[in-house]
Amino acid sequence: MTARLFKGAEYLVTEVTKDDVFTPEDFTDEQRQIGETTTQFVLNEVAPHHEEMENHNFDVVVQLMKRCGELGLLMIDTPEKYGGLDLDKATSMLVAEKIAPAGSFSVTYSAHTGIGTLPLVYYGTMEQKEKYLSKIISGEWVAAYCLTEPDSGSDALGAKATAVLSADKKYYLLNGTKQFITNGAFATLYTIFAKVDKEHFTAFLVERNTEGLSVGAEEKKLGIRGTSTTQIILENAKVPVENLLGKIGKGHKIAFNVLNIGRFKLGAGVTGAAKHSLGDAIKYAVERKQFGVPIASFGAIKEKIADMTAEIYAAESLVYRLAGMIDNKLATIAQDTPNYYETYQKGIEEYAIECAIAKVFCSEVLADVVDEVVQIYGGYGFVQGYPAERYYRDERINRIFEGTNEINRLLIPGTILARAMKDELPLKSEAKKAFKELTSSSSEGSKAAGPFAAEKTLLANLKKIFLVLTWGSVKKHMTGIKNEQEILMAVAEIAINTFAIESAVLRAEKIMPGLSKAKKESVSAAVKVFTFNAAEQTATAARKAAYFIEKGGSLAELLSGIGRFTTYDATGLLQAKRQLADAAIEAEKYIF
Amino acid sequence: MKILVCIKQVPDMASRFKVNGDGTWYDETDLAFRMNEYDEYAVEQAVQLKEQQGSTPDITVLSIGPDRVGEMIKKAMAMGCDRGVHIQDKDSFRKDPWQIASAIAGFARDKKFDLIFFGMQSQDRGSGQVGAMVAEILGIACATTVVGFAFADGVVTAKRELEGGIRAVVKLKLPALITCQLGLNTPRYPTLPNIMKAKKKELLALPIADFLKEKELVATASAYPPAKKGTGLVLEGDVNDMVGKLVGILKEKTKVVK
């Protein structure tokens, strides 16, 4: 385990080294075995039922959840005291990644183990945990989380559902409609958010057979058709007072904190889905012959394979680095700490920015990947019966749920600025230094030495660009910056790509000594290919932000600085792409 | 009851193999290793027997090889074996079946195992000799290529797969050794709680030198991929041109036309 503890977003104002990052290569034998059990389960037990699930045979889904319970896949994040395993987040993410090839079923699984189970684990009383947790971790009961309403999605606190204490003070009577509830049709325990006395946002544990609770019709969806998505309708639903979760008026904490883990876990899941679909596309490209040769031998296809491999490598590096950061933080909290889960929540919340980054970055990697996977399949990618079409449809929801990518992007600079205002991050002082450098026409910025010097130079400079633009926009708009969403979106892009490049580079540097010559070449190639693409995107975002913020001479100065500070020497890019593609084509799968 | 299961770690058979530097084995670089498929049947059968016998049998799982085999031994313990023995040998791939069998027998000789399970062969070397040799050295009963297994009243009833689709049932008194064939059972994958419990089980590491006194009887002279068959060539165009081309090729590549 790495030991240096980072503050959230601290990476933007400090230099992180290879010894500070956790990588997939650091997994223990036990973690790898847990990953293998998950893979075997998906391959042998889930995959054969795929069609049935897509056709809404939810009995199969419920049976498979029980099987997950037998294998222990539902107890990873639950405390040992209640029969769980209480494993670290890295393990939890690895399982999320390995279960992803199960498609729709992985969404059922994630909703159950994440937003379905964690509110109870974090905020439940001992009585509530004793009553429900054993049923949830055995798969006997399936859990669902009901926050969204027909008129409130991103604006979760705008919920209209109400809870009123009954005259005999034994029940809360819940009224309202919850929308897009994953596992809605077959869940047996719902965590439902409603406002007590139309004012105090509060969570409740509501059993399926509660009088007044009914399940709406199945939504007809673009993708993940093997999941159940329904409304949950509450008409004077009688919820016993002892099923109130946490405190009255504190529902927003529950709602938002579990989303941090949910976002991060989604990052791991989509990375697994990306690996899986890339593997299929490579196999297809090797088999499919045009002009008498496999299409995998064409440069046009090879470049796609190289780009996808490099992007997934970055996503994977990012997700497990974040797992390590959170695990390090959580490991500092003693189990017997009073208010253990409150401290634990704060530990996770520290990395709300990185969790949002993981969600946005990894889901967009998957989006790029499935798009190119369809392209590689050509006409066969556009028809059912080949898997590409389903990967393409199933992907789309990931950029919408667990907080849209827009909400998550806005959250990145928003949270960074809020922390800077509270002096938790030295944004202002660092930005001033960076501004001097960036606007000095002779400065090329930082110069790193040693392995991956070109990438590290770029990283140090991208951080400066982020600081200058973010601080510049605050200076200009003051508190009104929160209404300048276009600027916030652009600077978020810089923060996201910087974290991704850094994760890719540091992982490479850390694992390099233990690799074979061929693997070394592949890792270096992946870093080069990814860094080049990400640097170009970041430069565009930075220039856009500059145009949004400045004009005249200041703009010219800024643009010139951005030009110098986003320069990345990608000499050998073509060879790197071909090398990476050839390695992936030989292995016929994602190679790292 | 004491049970021994002997397992080997082999490369993922979907790998692309290359011959190693001295041309006697495959190059291990960047290969992913896993438990030999037949050995999984052996572990599963031992664990099933333990479950049927009300948990009294004690199962030792043994493997010979470099450090990497530790992970596989842990998997066998997560499947239900009670203790692990890793006989450390970085060069186990250079040992012939006789040496491997001698080392295993050297370990097992004074341990009084009632039953020993092997896979019927390894997926990489495929000699299929080691199990039978161990039985011979220890002087115990042996049945190979077993596809059915039952144990009652101190007698093993094993169904063997013969050539030509014939099965044979054999009975063995303990101590006995069997080698397991595809179809015997479906190996379980370990549950998460069992994976974590296995972490606490004993895993002994012992040097190969403690058990191996024998010289090799069979030396591998060379290992190589079979020669690739040439791909066909399709001639197209005018018949006269094609004949011309064909004669040219025959002159160049063969001695048919002079």
Side-chain angles (χ1 to χ4, degrees), chain A residues 28-34 36-38 40-42 44-45 67 70-76 85 87 91 95 286 515-519 585-589, chain B residues 12 14 16-18 29-30 32 34 67-79 186-200 203:
Chain A
T28 62
D29 289 351
E30 285 75 25
Q31 286 171 320
R32 275 199 292 273
Q33 261 179 46
I34 287 172
E36 181 58 24
T37 285
T38 312
Q40 289 300 320
F41 167 66
V42 171
N44 301 328
E45 301 186 44
R67 184 69 183 122
E70 283 171 17
L71 288 170
L73 290 168
L74 307 179
M75 56 170 67
I76 296 168
L85 290 171
L87 300 174
T91 310
V95 171
V286 169
L515 300 180
S516 66
K517 188 169 166 282
K519 266 270 145 63
I585 289 163
E586 186 181 312
E588 294 190 22
K589 62 180 183 188
Chain B
D12 185 335
R16 298 283 171 94
F17 291 95
K18 292 181 191 117
T29 311
D30 292 334
R34 43 160 297 165
D67 289 347
R68 60 173 156 74
V69 307
E71 183 172 356
M72 172 197 58
I73 296 176
K74 285 185 192 171
K75 180 184 177 182
M77 292 198 287
M79 288 171 78
T186 308
R188 68 195 66 196
Y189 20 96
T191 67
L192 273 58
N194 286 341
I195 290 169
M196 297 315 289
K197 275 181 214 153
K199 216 177 153 179
K200 298 188 181 100
L203 174 51

Side-chain angles (χ1 to χ4, degrees), chain A residues 410 413 469-470 472-474 476-477 481 483-494 541 544-550:
Chain A
L410 295 172
L469 291 171
T470 306
S473 60
V474 172
K476 188 169 176 204
H477 296 283
I481 183 66
N483 299 321
E484 303 295 322
Q485 295 195 339
E486 298 89 339
I487 298 177
L488 294 172
M489 298 288 280
V491 294
E493 203 63 21
I494 306 170
K544 187 165 77 171
Y547 278 109
F548 287 168
I549 299 166
E550 291 292 355

Side-chain angles (χ1 to χ4, degrees), chain A residues 262-518:
Chain A
R263 286 167 183 167
F264 162 37
K265 213 171 202 172
L266 185 142
V270 292
T271 302
K275 287 185 187 180
H276 181 70
S277 49
L278 171 63
D280 277 0
I282 299 174
K283 284 185 196 88
Y284 183 81
V286 169
E287 265 171 39
R288 172 76 174 171
K289 284 188 179 167
Q290 290 292 280
F291 310 106
V293 291
I295 61 169
S297 64
F298 297 125
I301 301 296
K302 282 190 184 183
E303 184 171 17
K304 293 182 197 300
I305 292 171
D307 284 340
M308 287 191 276
T309 301
E311 277 193 74
I312 299 171
Y313 166 78
E316 186 182 54
S317 308
L318 187 162
V319 157
Y320 291 106
R321 173 188 177 188
L322 176 54
M325 287 165 77
I326 294 179
D327 281 333
N328 283 344
K329 183 83 177 177
L330 296 181
T332 62
I333 309 167
Q335 289 280 347
D336 55 1
T337 307
N339 304 324
Y340 173 76
Y341 278 114
E342 209 171 295
T343 319
Y344 185 98
Q345 282 302 325
K346 280 197 188 122
I348 293 170
E349 207 186 333
E350 179 68 42
Y351 303 110
I353 295 155
E354 286 83 356
C355 288
I357 290 176
K359 198 270 175 178
V360 172
F361 181 80
C362 300
S363 66
E364 292 180 4
V365 165
L366 178 62
D368 289 347
V369 167
V370 294
D371 192 63
E372 291 291 30
V373 166
V374 167
Q375 197 66 19
I376 288 174
Y377 272 83
Y380 295 103
F382 199 69
V383 296
Q384 291 182 3
Y386 285 82
E389 174 265 352
R390 180 170 62 75
Y391 298 155
Y392 189 79
R393 288 187 292 101
D394 283 354
E395 172 279 322
R396 194 62 186 84
I397 189 62
N398 292 297
R399 288 179 280 157
I400 298 171
F401 63 15
E402 300 275 358
T404 62
N405 283 16
E406 288 72 23
I407 286 288
N408 275 289
R409 275 199 164 83
L410 295 172
L411 184 151
I412 295 164
T415 311
I416 290 174
L417 288 173
R419 291 188 185 178
M421 296 306 169
K422 285 192 271 177
D423 279 336
E424 289 172 7
L425 281 172
L427 199 65
K428 189 177 169 184
S429 56
E430 292 296 320
K432 279 184 172 170
K433 276 193 264 172
F435 183 77
K436 262 189 197 162
E437 275 196 66
L438 189 75
T439 52
S440 145
S441 60
S442 59
S443 172
E444 300 280 314
S446 299
K447 271 272 174 277
F452 298 103
E455 289 77 11
K456 287 182 179 173
T457 299
L458 174 75
L459 277 168
N461 288 335
L462 292 183
K463 291 178 186 185
K464 286 172 193 155
I465 293 176
F466 173 83
L467 292 168
V468 168
L469 291 171
T470 306
W471 196 249
S473 60
V474 172
K475 261 182 25 196
K476 188 169 176 204
H477 296 283
M478 305 307 284
T479 52
I481 183 66
K482 63 177 185 293
N483 299 321
E484 303 295 322
Q485 295 195 339
E486 298 89 339
I487 298 177
L488 294 172
M489 298 288 280
V491 294
E493 203 63 21
I494 306 170
I496 293 168
N497 285 333
T498 304
F499 193 67
I501 299 171
E502 189 170 70
S503 305
V505 169
L506 295 178
R507 174 184 177 192
E509 190 185 354
K510 186 175 184 185
I511 66 176
M512 208 48 101
L515 300 180
S516 66
K517 188 169 166 282

